[in-house]
Amino acid sequence: GEDVEQSLFLSVREGDSSVINCTYTDSSSTYLYWYKQEPGAGLQLLTYIFSNMDMKQDQRLTVLLNKKDKHLSLRIADTQTGDSAIYFCAERGNTDKLIFGTGTRLQVFP
Amino acid sequence: KAGVTQTPRYLIKTRGQQVTLSCSPISGHRSVSWYQQTPGQGLQFLFEYFSETQRNKGNFPGRFSGRQFSNSRSEMNVSTLELGDSALYLCASSLVGLAGQETQYFGPGTRLLVL
């Protein structure tokens, strides 16, 4: 079945780049998404990438997709304390359901 | 444009009771999806409605049901509540873009505690 995995925790220093990784199993994924969840809040869509793209850049965010290895990453440049949150990757595959990863808790320290 | 709204935001129920949660999508969005978020299971898809029809369903027991009204507002119902139903229930509305991508926007969630 479909499965999406992420590392649980990432800690970076303010100003550095953060890279959050995600792997998925569904080779028929059409769109892949990154969401951010702050404490007590819903999910905020950060960015998405179509499966025929390798890279997408949106201001401080860069998404890289390696479709062969089914690997997705989110790079946040110049990470700020306000970026501290849980980041979820999600894929939409042939079942048309959105399948979420386990989430990566990003902690940014000064 | 107003975002996705969910009511109530917080709810406490006891085992065996039933609960109804409401979601109002972004104006113009016709698709509404529901998710359950728990520390143990993470984010799990419940169901999706489009134009008052259930389009997709996750792997949840029949105690979980939903519906969508003609104005795209959606409700989900959980009957015979169990302790394990304690969770954050998230609703998302979506719109299909010109390129065919479907982008989901989430509400703040309803936090349900079952005692």
Side-chain angles (χ1 to χ4, degrees):
Chain A
E2 302 148 323
D3 193 24
V4 181
E5 293 194 359
Q6 302 175 235
S7 52
L8 290 179
F9 191 78
L10 177 65
S11 181
V12 299
R13 189 181 297 277
E14 192 175 17
D16 287 352
S17 291
S18 309
V19 179
I20 303 171
N21 294 300
C22 171
T23 57
Y24 59 97
T25 57
D26 186 357
S27 56
S28 65
S29 291
T30 52
Y31 287 95
L32 297 115
Y33 304 83
W34 283 104
Y35 286 88
K36 175 184 180 183
Q37 187 177 36
E38 295 179 273
L43 277 72
Q44 174 196 350
L45 175 67
L46 290 176
T47 186
Y48 64 89
I49 189 168
F50 187 44
S51 60
N52 68 355
M53 297 169 64
D54 298 324
M55 185 183 89
K56 181 178 180 183
Q57 186 151 5
D58 186 358
Q59 299 182 334
R60 292 191 298 123
L61 305 178
T62 302
V63 179
L64 294 178
L65 174 61
N66 182 328
K67 198 171 179 181
K68 175 176 166 289
D69 294 339
K70 300 190 187 69
H71 182 268
L72 181 74
S73 68
L74 174 70
R75 178 178 180 269
I76 306 173
D78 187 24
T79 313
Q80 303 298 306
T81 54
D83 294 325
S84 293
I86 301 176
Y87 290 80
F88 291 91
C89 69
E91 61 97 8
R92 184 181 293 276
N94 60 0
T95 63
D96 212 31
K97 300 174 190 175
L98 202 60
I99 307 297
F100 283 88
T102 48
T104 299
R105 183 179 295 276
L106 173 66
Q107 183 178 18
V108 183
F109 57 93
Chain B
K1 230 181 206 184
V4 178
T5 57
Q6 292 187 245
T7 56
R9 291 293 312 278
Y10 304 92
L11 205 48
I12 299 175
K13 292 284 188 178
T14 55
R15 275 181 299 176
Q17 287 187 309
Q18 69 92 28
V19 68
T20 300
L21 311 181
S22 180
C23 171
S24 293
I26 293 170
S27 176
H29 288 196
R30 293 166 63 189
S31 174
V32 173
S33 300
W34 288 89
Y35 296 84
Q36 182 196 64
Q37 186 178 25
T38 60
Q41 299 298 317
L43 273 157
Q44 292 187 287
F45 170 77
L46 277 157
F47 24 65
E48 180 185 9
Y49 288 88
F50 181 83
S51 293
E52 302 178 66
T53 301
Q54 188 179 85
R55 191 160 70 170
N56 221 330
K57 191 176 189 304
N59 298 323
F60 278 82
R63 300 185 296 109
F64 291 80
S65 62
R67 58 179 176 167
Q68 187 179 33
F69 301 95
S70 58
N71 62 358
S72 294
R73 189 177 72 85
S74 177
E75 287 181 348
M76 68 161 279
N77 185 77
V78 188
S79 61
T80 320
L81 283 165
E82 299 176 0
L83 295 179
D85 297 333
S86 295
L88 179 68
Y89 290 88
L90 292 164
C91 164
S93 77
S94 61
L95 188 67
V96 178
L98 292 174
Q101 82 280 16
E102 187 167 343
T103 308
Q104 295 200 337
Y105 297 90
F106 282 79
T110 293
R111 190 164 292 281
L112 171 65
L113 177 62
V114 182
L115 302 175

